[in-house]
Amino acid sequence: MKTYRIATIPGDGIGKEVVPAGRQVLEALARSTQNFAFDFENFDWGADYYRQHGVMMPDDGLDAIRDKDAILFGSAGDPDVPDHITLWGLRLKICQGLDQYANVRPTRILPGIDGPLKRCEREDLNWVIVRENSEGEYSGVGGRVHQGHPIEAATDVSILTRAGVERIMRFAFKLAQSRPRKLLTVITKSNAQRHAMVMWDEVALEISKEFPDVKWDKELVDAATARMVNRPATLDTIVATNLHADILSDLAAALAGSLGIAPTGNIDPERRYPSMFEPIHGSAFDIMGKGLANPIGTFWSVAMLLEHLGEFEAAKRVMAAVEAVTADPSLHTGDLGGKATTAQVTAAVCAFVERVEAAAA
Ligand code: NAD
Ligand code: MN
């Protein structure tokens, strides 16, 4: 029997509520199968750790998680600590340190979810957004001079490397090729950003030649927002830079019904390092500590984690449980207009997972 070593990093806010819920689902799976087990290690990194130690995670923290099979992450962000400290000190430190250069964000309207697009059939919206996760606008290159004086100046420089663009394009084309429609949209802004984004377009064209069976097109990022709303069925796999995809994927999550549902994986496609899975939402200060957080985004992330480990049956079982739960309005949390608690949704998903396995055995 295979034992997977999983690091859990709840972080801050509702991360501390949804990550334990995700772990419960993994434990329910493990209880009901002979095929695999999990060996969890929890890391209490985040804003509380920062208040005690002055850093979000220890300097040698990456060494503690480097050899795990996967990481389940919650959220970094605290009302009393500036966002650039929490983000750079934890989540980006892990993503960049473990070179998780492909951020993958599937979006579908799950059964029972009332999405805001009234002219859209549920099946029309089935996307996966690939976000370049290691450079671009979030390279961290830049600086400030004359701080506090009237002549103060500040830069955030976006860096794109040919190697970085090639690897994310190749990943996106491959992912598009693995999906039924074999359709990729490359998001760009090369009309206005006339250096790096032009190279981005050139590399897309070059890599496309390796994938003759993939249909692909280009769309400017601003036009892409309108296309997502007006013609969702014309999109399938989407690749974009770090910032562009960050914005498009929050729009995608909203169009699919709620930020609380959307999952993501920070993937090292070469598998040199563990990949990290997390709901895309943040710490949700307005509801933290109340047991009201929707754990579905975390459960979907758990399904992605299982797929990444090659446990496809288990991943399907978790998604079936998620869909059974979203289909039942009495199990909707507040963000979906319901009254259910995190604990109730979690119990329902765990019960479903174990029931399905019992039926199969
Ligand atoms: P947010 O995602 O925390 O919250 C936005 C809104 O969505 C809030 O009203 C919140 O209650 C609601 N919401 C989010 N997730 C929910 C869930 N699972 N169930 C029910 N409702 C949910 O975004 P924000 O308010 O912009 O950010 C708050 C903090 O989180 C900031 O510090 C920010 O930097 C951080 N953040 C971290 C990450 C991350 O670590 N990946 C991502 C986004 C934001
Ligand atoms: Mn974001």
Side-chain angles (χ1 to χ4, degrees), residues 161-237:
T161 64
R162 173 168 283 276
V165 179
E166 283 176 357
R167 66 183 186 175
I168 198 66
M169 287 295 171
R170 202 166 273 123
F171 179 84
F173 271 97
K174 214 177 273 176
L175 183 61
Q177 193 178 45
S178 75
R179 286 167 58 90
R181 294 175 67 193
K182 299 190 194 302
L183 176 63
L184 177 69
T185 298
V186 175
I187 304 297
T188 186
K189 192 62 197 176
S190 50
N191 55 343
Q193 296 175 294
R194 58 190 184 154
H195 307 293
M197 290 313 295
V198 174
M199 182 181 79
W200 170 269
D201 291 0
E202 288 169 7
V203 171
L205 178 62
E206 283 167 31
I207 300 294
S208 74
K209 300 194 170 125
E210 298 171 19
F211 300 87
D213 56 334
V214 174
K215 287 191 295 282
W216 73 287
D217 61 4
K218 265 193 311 195
E219 189 76 76
L220 296 174
V221 63
D222 41 352
T225 59
R227 181 167 164 192
M228 286 166 71
V229 172
N230 293 325
R231 294 180 294 134
T234 67
L235 294 161
D236 187 81
T237 308

Side-chain angles (χ1 to χ4, degrees), residues 14 75-77 83 91 259-260 278 281-287 294 335:
I14 62 168
S75 167
D83 278 348
R91 194 174 158 273
L259 209 52
E278 53 168 343
H281 63 73
S283 302
F285 304 146
D286 49 339
I287 57 164
N294 190 345
D335 55 314

Side-chain angles (χ1 to χ4, degrees), residues 49-346:
Y49 192 93
Y50 177 83
R51 275 183 276 271
Q52 278 192 357
H53 304 277
V55 285
M56 291 287 288
M57 64 184 275
D59 284 341
D60 59 356
L62 287 179
D63 295 334
I65 55 177
R66 206 184 296 282
D67 295 327
K68 301 294 183 192
D69 293 304
I71 304 161
L72 183 63
F73 186 81
S75 167
D78 183 277
D80 301 321
V81 184
D83 278 348
H84 65 274
I85 290 179
T86 52
L87 184 66
W88 282 95
L90 186 58
R91 194 174 158 273
L92 289 184
K93 191 164 170 177
I94 296 172
C95 289
Q96 298 190 347
L98 302 182
D99 203 18
Q100 297 161 339
Y101 66 82
N103 181 233
V104 177
R105 301 185 162 198
T107 309
R108 281 193 291 128
I109 304 179
L110 297 180
I113 301 296
D114 184 22
L117 288 182
K118 292 306 168 212
R119 284 170 295 166
C120 166
E121 300 296 323
R122 204 162 70 75
E123 305 74 41
D124 287 349
L125 200 164
N126 187 343
W127 306 327
V128 51
I129 298 179
V130 176
R131 168 181 178 183
E132 201 297 313
N133 211 30
S134 69
E135 52 179 31
E137 306 88 345
Y138 299 172
S139 301
V141 175
R144 292 174 73 171
V145 287
H146 308 306
Q147 237 168 303
H149 297 286
I151 56 167
E152 180 166 357
T155 59
D156 276 302
V157 180
S158 171
I159 304 277
L160 286 183
T161 64
R162 173 168 283 276
V165 179
E166 283 176 357
R167 66 183 186 175
I168 198 66
M169 287 295 171
R170 202 166 273 123
F171 179 84
F173 271 97
K174 214 177 273 176
L175 183 61
Q177 193 178 45
S178 75
R179 286 167 58 90
R181 294 175 67 193
K182 299 190 194 302
L183 176 63
L184 177 69
T185 298
V186 175
I187 304 297
T188 186
K189 192 62 197 176
S190 50
N191 55 343
Q193 296 175 294
R194 58 190 184 154
H195 307 293
M197 290 313 295
V198 174
M199 182 181 79
W200 170 269
D201 291 0
E202 288 169 7
V203 171
L205 178 62
E206 283 167 31
I207 300 294
S208 74
K209 300 194 170 125
E210 298 171 19
F211 300 87
D213 56 334
V214 174
K215 287 191 295 282
W216 73 287
D217 61 4
K218 265 193 311 195
E219 189 76 76
L220 296 174
V221 63
D222 41 352
T225 59
R227 181 167 164 192
M228 286 166 71
V229 172
N230 293 325
R231 294 180 294 134
T234 67
L235 294 161
D236 187 81
T237 308
I238 298 165
V239 63
T241 63
N242 216 328
L243 171 66
H244 290 166
D246 189 6
I247 298 166
L248 293 183
S249 57
D250 271 27
L251 173 59
L255 295 178
S258 171
L259 209 52
I261 292 175
T264 183
N266 302 282
I267 311 282
D268 167 22
E270 276 85 57
R271 293 173 184 264
R272 298 156 297 169
Y273 305 107
S275 293
M276 179 162 80
F277 300 84
E278 53 168 343
I280 86 163
H281 63 73
S283 302
F285 304 146
D286 49 339
I287 57 164
M288 66 183 184
K290 296 181 181 159
L292 301 176
N294 190 345
I296 294 290
T298 303
F299 298 159
W300 194 341
S301 304
V302 160
M304 292 179 75
L305 181 154
L306 290 162
E307 260 177 35
H308 186 76
L309 296 177
E311 297 295 345
F312 299 105
E313 274 313 307
K316 267 197 208 133
R317 213 154 15 113
V318 173
M319 278 319 284
V322 160
E323 296 196 16
V325 161
T326 60
D328 178 353
S330 79
L331 289 168
H332 285 185
T333 43
D335 55 314
L336 301 175
K339 289 199 164 54
T341 63
T342 312
Q344 286 166 336
V345 178
T346 306

